[in-house]
Amino acid sequence: MVRVRFAPSPTGFLHIGNVRTALFNFLYAKKEGGKFILRIEDTDVERSKQEYHDALMEDLLWMGIRWDEGPEVGGAYGPYLASERFSIYQQYTNELIQQGKAYHCYVTEEEIGEMKQLARAEKRPPRFDNRGRDFTKAEIERRKAQGIRSTVRFKIENPNLEIHDLIRGKVSFNLDEMLGDFIILRQDGSPTFHLAVCVDDGLMQVTHVIRGEDHLSNTPKHILLLEAMGFKPPQYGHLSLIHGEGGEPLSKRLESVSVREFRRRGILPHALANYIALLGWSPGTNQEIFQWEELQKAFDLAQVNKHASTYDSKKLDWVNGQHLRLLSDEDFAKHALAYLKEQKVLRFDETLVHKILPVFKDNIERFDQLPERLEILRDDFAYENKSLIQTAEAKEAFQAALSLLPHLRGNGEALFDEFVNQLKPKVKVKGKSLFMPLRMALTGKKHGPELKRIFPVLGLDLVKKRLERALNA
Ligand code: GLU
């Protein structure tokens, strides 16, 4: 059975990079009928915050990414918070030490600093030279007496320097980077990321690790460590970086690509998932728009490529626009209203807003464009072009319109047809010369959704108010 995990560190908000990792793991699990685990990697106690922990779960759920095991839902392999597993890490460390696979290392920070400096001066890679392995008992006692505390290092022996990556194929590593024994337990007894991730992947029986390219160089270490602890290493797949719009690494502008920010801009969760899926995955056809269920069926890890991708906010907006059009009018209004409330920008009567919202479905790309569009509900909106409603012909048309309003009986779009049919014989102007002033009087704008749709939504009372206001403008 496929078992995958998303293992974020709660040190910041979810952004497009780590949410892609979450999504690909989730989609892979769905596709394979496997399990998707959420594991919070809060080994860095100082930088980890409850606020980020809560936010990342909320953001995942908002996206529709649900975990089969993890915080809140539980599971047979818990706890799912690294901070609650410290005694387990300790136990594995002790076993490694007993088996001679790891050792207490009394080399100081200063010595490591000097080692690095020398390596730099001699133009060698700054790796640890394993000197702590060979300290005599007397040397260790001398250091202990000076108050030096040990770290625990894992011994690298016969490193296997080649892996088969699910996305990148065969990957070889540089011997010089690999040879240094690495720390698994810090001086204060806390585990490093390497130890926690390996113990957890091992015990949680993770079969596939899909994660960012930034972890590629850790993978040989992880395979060695897992094997030393008696676990069968999972298969690894590393996703390529996502670049920013100017080609810069995305890490420079994480705020603007956080899930929070997309949400604030009124991107639909499933449109975001659709867009993110395309950052690395190509379906092999021209299809770009995938509904959520469809995406879960279509996604295939074998079609994820190793090319770097570029975040393109215009493309995301376009994908979002396509998803908006796919919604029924009712669903559009429901989602849009929820957005306006969540962002605290609902400024008009809710029933009226709900009624008018579908009118905008075809001509917005994001919900954050709605507050401006909804300004047409203001009684005192500004006219984009006042001269259009100040001509004698326009005023005559408004008068005529006002006089026939009480006689209208129709409903919906038929109401507007009835209005126009009765109005036409009463006025000299026709076509554009009639409709432009009418649009200006009713909406304050030169362009926008069809009058036919707005008219019945405004209703006769508001239409009357607007015509009277235009007459006096
Ligand atoms: N906590 C790590 C990260 O956020 C997870 C690494 C992994 O998936 O193995 O990058």
Side-chain angles (χ1 to χ4, degrees):
M1 149 108 81
V2 164
R3 289 178 58 81
V4 292
R5 72 342 184 247
F6 175 51
S9 305
T11 53
F13 289 114
L14 274 192
H15 56 78
I16 198 163
N18 45 27
V19 86
R20 180 185 59 168
T21 302
L23 179 69
F24 281 24
N25 277 288
F26 172 82
L27 291 175
Y28 185 61
K30 286 282 150 223
K31 187 68 188 259
E32 300 294 324
K35 293 273 183 260
F36 173 68
I37 305 163
L38 173 65
R39 188 171 77 214
I40 307 292
E41 219 148 69
D42 52 354
T43 46
D44 186 340
V45 181
E46 245 153 58
R47 287 174 57 230
S48 297
K49 298 223 160 62
Q50 186 65 34
E51 175 199 358
Y52 295 132
H53 174 155
D54 295 342
L56 77 88
M57 294 206 294
E58 199 200 316
D59 287 347
L60 288 176
L61 293 175
W62 175 78
M63 291 268 300
I65 299 178
R66 279 162 221 290
W67 48 99
D68 303 299
E69 291 172 30
E72 303 207 331
V73 303
Y77 301 82
Y80 293 91
L81 258 65
S83 58
E84 292 174 6
R85 300 173 64 82
F86 277 26
S87 61
I88 308 178
Y89 306 137
Q90 185 74 55
Q91 181 196 328
Y92 274 88
T93 305
N94 292 344
E95 279 169 28
L96 287 171
I97 295 173
Q98 274 160 22
Q99 293 164 4
K101 294 174 180 168
Y103 59 95
H104 285 284
C105 176
Y106 288 89
V107 178
T108 63
E109 296 277 344
E110 294 82 66
E111 287 171 309
I112 292 168
E114 284 161 19
M115 209 183 296
K116 283 188 184 157
Q117 232 169 7
L118 189 68
R120 225 171 289 133
E122 293 176 358
K123 300 204 168 15
R124 286 185 286 111
R127 65 173 169 79
F128 184 65
D129 63 8
N130 301 350
R131 65 178 71 170
R133 276 195 200 191
D134 309 317
F135 283 173
T136 58
K137 269 215 169 83
E139 178 66 17
I140 290 174
E141 287 311 319
R142 193 178 64 78
R143 288 182 176 239
K144 273 187 178 167
Q146 285 172 7
I148 296 170
R149 292 167 71 193
S150 69
T151 57
V152 176
R153 284 187 188 258
F154 175 70
K155 278 189 198 167
I156 297 232
E157 320 256 26
N158 309 318
N160 177 2
L161 297 165
E162 210 172 88
I163 63 163
H164 184 84
D165 188 275
L166 292 164
I167 294 160
R168 326 178 89 76
K170 197 172 86 176
V171 185
S172 308
F173 295 88
N174 182 341
L175 201 72
D176 285 332
E177 278 170 17
M178 275 296 300
L179 280 180
D181 295 344
F182 61 91
I183 300 181
I184 54 175
L185 217 60
R186 298 191 191 93
Q187 283 184 344
D188 64 3
S190 66
T192 59
F193 152 70
H194 300 301
L195 177 65
V197 85
C198 290
V199 170
D200 295 348
D201 283 343
L203 287 177
M204 294 181 187
Q205 299 191 15
V206 168
T207 58
H208 298 75
V209 168
I210 304 163
R211 60 184 179 185
E213 186 182 23
D214 47 329
H215 287 294
L216 186 57
S217 62
N218 291 326
T219 298
K221 290 181 189 159
H222 293 179
I223 292 177
L224 291 176
L225 189 51
L226 278 154
E227 283 173 343
M229 295 188 292
F231 294 117
K232 179 173 179 281
Q235 280 186 275
Y236 290 89
H238 291 89
L239 301 167
S240 294
L241 291 180
I242 305 174
H243 291 294
E245 292 183 291
E248 78 284 8
L250 217 48
S251 53
K252 296 257 185 299
R253 45 195 295 276
L254 291 184
E255 289 274 300
S256 63
V257 292
S258 67
V259 173
R260 294 276 139 138
E261 176 59 17
F262 294 128
R263 206 164 151 177
R264 196 194 58 73
R265 285 167 44 199
I267 300 286
L268 290 169
H270 295 158
L272 183 59
N274 182 165
Y275 174 72
I276 289 177
L278 298 174
L279 295 174
W281 168 62
S282 38
T285 62
N286 289 333
Q287 185 177 354
E288 290 193 289
I289 301 304
F290 291 84
Q291 302 260 43
W292 183 229
E293 287 72 25
E294 201 179 359
L295 183 63
Q296 294 178 38
K297 288 206 187 83
F299 181 82
D300 186 352
L301 196 61
Q303 291 166 318
V304 173
N305 59 58
K306 60 179 179 188
H307 311 302
S309 31
T310 303
Y311 166 66
D312 175 351
S313 62
K314 290 209 181 63
K315 177 83 184 264
L316 170 59
D317 287 353
W318 177 80
V319 169
N320 198 55
Q322 299 302 307
H323 276 261
L324 292 178
R325 310 304 171 250
L326 287 172
L327 295 174
S328 66
D329 282 2
E330 190 42 48
D331 281 346
F332 176 86
K334 195 178 85 192
H335 289 295
L337 201 59
Y339 168 84
L340 296 169
K341 285 185 182 169
E342 183 185 298
Q343 299 299 322
K344 303 195 169 50
V345 287
L346 177 61
R347 301 205 179 90
F348 304 98
D349 173 64
E350 188 174 329
T351 320
L352 186 59
V353 170
H354 187 264
K355 226 161 81 178
I356 201 170
L357 279 169
V359 162
F360 303 110
K361 193 176 89 175
D362 292 334
N363 42 41
I364 61 161
E365 296 205 303
R366 304 184 314 263
F367 287 146
D368 67 349
Q369 294 166 324
L370 283 174
E372 194 263 335
R373 307 285 166 121
L374 287 169
E375 288 290 290
I376 68 168
L377 293 178
R378 282 181 85 98
D379 286 333
D380 60 346
F381 59 65
Y383 297 106
E384 220 173 65
N385 181 341
K386 212 168 183 175
S387 57
L388 264 179
I389 53 169
Q390 288 172 321
T391 64
E393 290 86 356
K395 301 223 167 196
E396 184 207 41
F398 300 156
Q399 283 286 10
L402 275 169
S403 67
L404 64 84
L405 288 184
H407 309 291
L408 297 179
R409 294 283 167 264
N411 256 321
E413 293 187 9
L415 178 68
F416 186 69
D417 291 339
E418 191 188 349
F419 170 71
V420 172
N421 288 339
Q422 295 198 23
L423 183 62
K424 274 184 180 162
K426 291 200 164 73
V427 294
K428 285 196 251 7
V429 282
K430 51 181 176 214
K432 242 178 127 182
S433 314
L434 173 61
F435 291 110
M436 288 297 274
L438 261 182
R439 170 183 288 284
M440 190 56 62
L442 295 178
T443 71
K445 298 208 188 322
K446 281 195 278 195
H447 306 283
E450 286 178 281
L451 269 185
K452 197 202 281 229
R453 300 195 61 191
I454 294 195
F455 190 93
V457 175
L458 287 176
L460 295 179
D461 284 349
L462 269 185
V463 168
K464 178 163 175 271
K465 265 201 212 160
R466 300 272 157 100
L467 290 172
E468 283 168 354
R469 178 176 174 227
L471 265 179
N472 297 319

